[in-house]
Structure formats: structure tokens, C-alpha cells
Amino acid sequence: VDSGAAALKQLLARDFAVILLDARMPGLDGYETAALIRKRERSAHTPIIFLTADTGDRASIDRAYDQGAVDFMGKPFEPKILRAKVAIFVALYLQAEQLKQQAASLLDQERAAVRAEAARLAAGRLREQEKALIERLEERQRVSEQHAAALGKVSAELARSNHELEQVAYGASHDLKAPLRGISTVCDWIEEDLAEVMTDDARKHLDQMRSRIRRMSALVDGILAFARVGQGRAEPELVDVGALIADVVELLQPPAGATITIMPALPTALVLRQLLSHVFSNLIGNALKYARRPDPRVEVGG
């Protein structure tokens, strides 16, 4: 359908396994449509995947999740990825419907069994009652085994889908650098537009922001390298340990009362950079977190 109103009419007529909802539509936009979908009991829990070109707008992303979105994909999107995500929700929907039907069937069987048992008790046919009870238990066991087998297949499919989604996440992490480049550009614009009136403190803050942007960019590179470790593609490199610890400390942003001293002449080591950074981040972060005093002192030497 091509509008929010048309989508709501469809929801009155039938149920859906998953809804693909464009954030921008004529009349009701995607967010307003999602809010109305959620207010209706029959579709309150139907999964919604938002499709939008505003992937860098944090407010739009938060708004989508506030309206009950289960995922948020930018346009243009990769059809294979979208099909994989939709297939998961369709499989879960079909499995849920099957379980509902089986539950209803079991309930009908249980009611019939209760009526039969009451008749047998009234007639005093204790042996027949015991035999029927054993048969019902065996039938339930068979049904349980069938359910377990079906759930095993679903679990295997979900494991495969999760692996595909992990690969997608690895690819998406490359795009994390785009907003960092945008922030850096904005810093340049601010400095250029306000050059005549900018104070020394303001320039200092901009320099600090650029420094942190560079370190965040390096952190993204490290995350990608870390992802490659499990695939056997990461290679050790010569790392200035003192400089690496300085970067870690700046990203940790220690409290005002804390003192962190990096001893001179730390070595240059042949290591996997991201793993060593992770080690120092945990050690220094835990030292600050569990110091139990407002003025902790941390010294790093070697």
C-alpha cells in the first residue's frame, strides 16, 4: 500500500507476520501509523521494521523504536539482508500459529478426556479409566517429542540466521565512520564561520573534539580488526604501549579527582592492538570504578 491510512485498512481485514513501514508517507507518516497500529489490540505485537533514508538522524531512530520498531534499516537497503530478516519473523509467526492450533487441539482433547473420565467414574469402570489415562499420557509424550523436534529445527534456523546477521553487523560497522567524518566536518565549519569571534577556550574544546573523533575512528578500526581475529585475518603489529594507554585514558574520561600516571619508557610491543587496548581499558576502568574513594591514583608502568 502507498499510505498509512491504506495500511490501517489492511490491518482491519487480516493479520500479518511482519510490517515493513516507510518512515515518510503522504498523510500519516510511518511513526504516526506505527502508533495507531500499536493501539489496536490485534496488531499491538506485530513486528515493525522501519525503512528510511534518515539513518544518521538519531532522533528519528529513537522515535521509531519508541513506536515499537524491532529493526531500523536505511535506504537503499540490501534485498538479501531484508529478506533474511523478514524470513525470521515469518518463520516465528508460522511456528506461533502452529503452536496455537496444537494448543487448541490439546485443549479440546483434554476436555473430551475429562468428560469421558467423568462418565467412566460414574459407571465404575476403573480399569478402562486407567487404560485411557495411560494412552493419553503416551499421546502427550509423542506430541511433546514432535514439538521438541520442530523446535530443534527452528533453533537451527535461528542459529543460521544469527550467523548471517553477525556478518551484516560486521559490514555495518564500516559505516560507523561516516557520522564521525560528519562531526569532524562540522567542527571545521564552526571554526571557519566563527574564526573572528572564537575564544581560546572554544578552540581548545574543538581541538579536544577532533582528538576524540580521531580516537573513536581508531577504535572503530580496532573493532573491525577484533572482528577479523575470529576469522584468522588479524595480524600483530608494533604498538607504542605508552601511547596506546594514553588513548585509553582519554576515552575513559576519568573523574575530576582521579590521577592516572603513565610511567615513562614503556615498551613497543608486537601485539594485536585492539586486544591489548581492551585489557588496559578493563584494568584501568575497574581500578577507577572500585577505588571506593573520590581521589583514586592509578599508575601504569612496565
Side-chain angles (χ1 to χ4, degrees):
V1 295
D2 58 3
S3 70
L8 295 174
K9 288 182 180 179
Q10 288 289 331
L11 287 169
L12 291 174
R14 53 196 293 201
D15 293 328
F16 293 86
V18 60
I19 297 172
L20 303 182
L21 192 57
D22 200 322
R24 293 184 177 181
M25 294 187 295
L28 289 173
D29 66 17
Y31 307 112
E32 295 168 331
T33 303
L36 293 173
I37 290 172
R38 286 288 178 257
K39 288 181 179 179
R40 185 167 172 268
E41 182 177 358
R42 186 170 168 181
S43 58
H45 302 291
T46 302
I48 298 176
I49 299 177
F50 270 92
L51 305 176
T52 178
D54 298 331
T55 55
D57 184 356
R58 185 69 218 181
S60 296
I61 295 174
D62 291 341
R63 187 180 179 190
Y65 285 120
D66 289 342
Q67 296 301 338
V70 298
D71 207 342
F72 192 97
M73 293 189 64
K75 296 189 298 185
F77 53 83
E78 175 60 41
K80 181 179 179 181
I81 297 174
L82 183 58
R83 283 195 296 268
K85 291 186 177 184
V86 168
I88 292 173
F89 290 110
V90 171
L92 291 174
Y93 176 84
L94 294 175
Q95 180 66 18
E97 289 298 310
Q98 182 182 7
L99 291 175
K100 287 179 183 179
Q101 294 174 2
Q102 292 172 344
S105 176
L106 288 175
L107 182 60
D108 290 341
Q109 293 176 13
E110 186 67 23
R111 289 173 177 171
V114 169
R115 289 193 296 268
E117 186 146 335
R120 284 191 293 272
L121 287 173
R125 300 170 59 184
L126 183 58
R127 291 183 179 179
E128 288 80 0
Q129 175 193 10
E130 292 174 349
K131 181 180 178 181
L133 181 59
I134 292 174
E135 290 176 352
R136 286 202 307 277
L137 291 174
E138 292 174 346
E139 177 62 22
R140 289 182 184 178
Q141 179 66 29
R142 287 192 294 271
V143 172
S144 297
E145 291 172 353
Q146 292 171 358
H147 288 175
L151 289 175
K153 293 180 180 178
V154 173
S155 297
E157 179 63 21
L158 286 176
R160 183 191 64 79
S161 299
N162 284 338
H163 177 70
E164 291 182 358
L165 290 177
E166 287 173 2
Q167 297 302 311
V168 172
Y170 171 77
S173 63
H174 285 280
D175 297 333
L176 291 175
K177 281 194 171 182
L180 293 177
R181 288 192 294 269
I183 296 172
S184 180
T185 300
V186 171
C187 289
D188 294 339
W189 290 347
I190 292 174
E191 187 171 35
E192 180 180 344
D193 294 343
L194 304 179
E196 297 180 357
V197 297
M198 183 171 292
T199 65
D200 292 339
D201 285 342
R203 287 191 176 89
K204 179 181 178 182
H205 294 325
L206 282 176
D207 289 340
Q208 289 175 343
M209 185 179 298
R210 289 191 183 99
S211 175
R212 287 174 181 172
I213 289 171
R214 288 192 296 271
R215 281 165 173 75
M216 286 301 296
S217 180
L219 181 61
V220 171
D221 290 337
I223 291 172
L224 293 176
F226 185 71
R228 288 192 292 269
V229 169
Q231 301 174 13
R233 294 203 302 259
E235 293 292 340
E237 58 183 302
L238 287 173
V239 174
D240 182 340
V241 177
L244 180 142
I245 296 173
D247 290 344
V248 168
V249 171
E250 181 166 353
L251 288 175
L252 285 174
Q253 294 185 323
T259 301
I260 300 179
T261 303
I262 303 173
M263 306 301 288
L266 287 176
T268 296
L270 184 65
V271 296
L272 293 174
R273 176 186 295 271
Q274 181 61 20
L275 293 180
L276 187 60
S277 175
H278 191 57
V279 169
F280 281 116
S281 178
N282 282 342
L283 289 173
I284 298 174
N286 285 340
L288 296 173
K289 181 177 180 181
Y290 298 107
R292 299 180 181 174
R293 54 185 297 169
D295 57 343
R297 184 176 71 252
V298 180
E299 294 182 359
V300 185

